Amino acid sequence: MGRTGADAMFHSFRQAMAWLHTWFGLVLGFVLMAAFFFGALSVFDREIDRWAIPATRFEPQPMPSFEKVLRPAFERLQPPPEMVEAMRPRVDGPMPERFDRIAYWSAYTTHRDPVLAIYAGWEVPGAKNADEQLYAVGTIDPRDGTPLPDDRLKIGSGFFFPLHYGLTLDWKNLGIWIVGFSALVMLAALVSGVVMHRKLFRELFTFRPGEARLRSALDLHNLTGVVALPFHFFFAFTGLVIFSATYYFPLGHTQLHELHELHEQHEAAALGLPHGRSGVPAGLANVDAMVAEAQRRWEARGMAGDVGFLVLQHVGDANGYVSVYRAGTDRIALVGQGIHFKADTGALLREDPPATPVARVAEFLTGLHLQHFRHWLLRWLYVFGGLMGAVCIATGFVFFVEKRKRQHARVGSQGVRIVDALAVTTVTGMVLAALGILVANRLLPEALPGRGDWERYAFWGTWALALVHAGWRSAPVARGLPNPAWREQCRAIAVLAVAAAVLNWITTGDHLLRTLAAGYWPVAGLDLALLAVAAIAAAAGHRLGRGAEAAARIGAHGEAAHA
């Protein structure tokens, strides 16, 4: 009797897990699909940037000389006029014509960046809130310091990457909260999926594409979920870890703000790094010599000496200091091994010691997620894992719709039409939107004002059209038949993918034969990926078309027999 009761309890527990897995996966799968898909694209965000901005199509460059390249570029920077105007009501007294109280200068690059991003911040005299600063961002050619246009949208790092973790919903960081909640629920869905599917090893080798659509969709859902299970878990978990202190639990900047400020002052004093300006003017020693000394010290510790991040704090003040951080591309952990110098003399202030065990764990988890390391095979495994997650969610949508649409057809319910239209929009519509922004990037005039905004409009407009099309074509779903939008949008994907590759050739001259011969993989790789997407989408559209014809014949026979 006790055993029977235990079996019944376990059975009901599995049912509860199945309910949680199904409905949480359905409701939040739309968000997770975007996170996985654009996360996979973000693995090669810099390469997508090179494709989207032809002026940046040259080889990656090291951090350039500060004295010859960076300093003139920094001195040219000033905050944008619209930011100055927005700041004016929050300042007592007039605004200066030129801002010269430099809070910081910084430059950042990676082993995949041909161009260099530079940043500057200025303190504002008379600001009602002394913590407020004005800032500016610039992009330069690190070979000679030539400014590059900043109105070009970096589609990879400036759009796809933020879409991956924040859905571009910036108000109150709403997108980051939605994605974070979805990641938390995804961890629960992974656990519930394991409970539901006890025979995981068998499902690892079970895929029957020749079976009915419902069976093959479930097989593929289980297969992709099991194969990439560790990947799905650590990416959801590490994403939550990365944003936990900054966005989800920012106690140091909210409830404990005053205590946090006091801690920063004590920490700065303990580290020997000035916390604020002294008000005493001072010069700037040779920064290139400081960088060379930092590289010498890294080499003495057996480390690679590529500089990834250079920061100058309180420039022009006696409390100014220069921090040189290592690129850290030789390891997974996101490390900097910073070395700090007094700005006006070049004297060594501090060399960051080895991290504590807790800090090393945090560095490893962060580096594991952000993958700044130099390892191309591992990067492709990240892409594969991200796409496996997207396929797992997509097949979950298909299974949900296929399992219920005949039941809904018998009772005359239209609910499954809505779910199917949303699934089409999330799966094929999202791919269409990504291709739409690439096509717009190659078609829009280079000198068009607000060109980046028009590219974003093309992305969202294409996605909206995919939603309208999926809803408009969903009538057969109510009769238990497939939605024609699936195959039609697959065919549209094939057309747009080929169009993007051809337009790149027409507008830049960088066709595949040329980029392959030159070994310029950022552009050649994206063009090859576009052609591969076109081939897969065309094959999927053809297969879906044959399946629709078969379903129509079966439906016609059924209606004739019923008559």
Side-chain angles (χ1 to χ4, degrees), residues 254-291:
T254 53
Q255 286 87 349
L256 305 179
H257 177 72
E258 293 184 2
L259 186 61
H260 174 75
E261 288 295 310
L262 182 62
H263 170 73
E264 281 196 341
Q265 294 175 19
H266 283 285
E267 184 180 46
L271 298 178
L273 302 177
H275 180 64
R277 300 178 73 93
S278 67
V280 178
L284 182 61
N286 190 298
V287 176
D288 288 342
M290 302 180 207
V291 170

Side-chain angles (χ1 to χ4, degrees), residues 82 121 188 268 278 300 327 348 375 500:
E82 59 272 16
S278 67
L348 179 68
H375 196 303

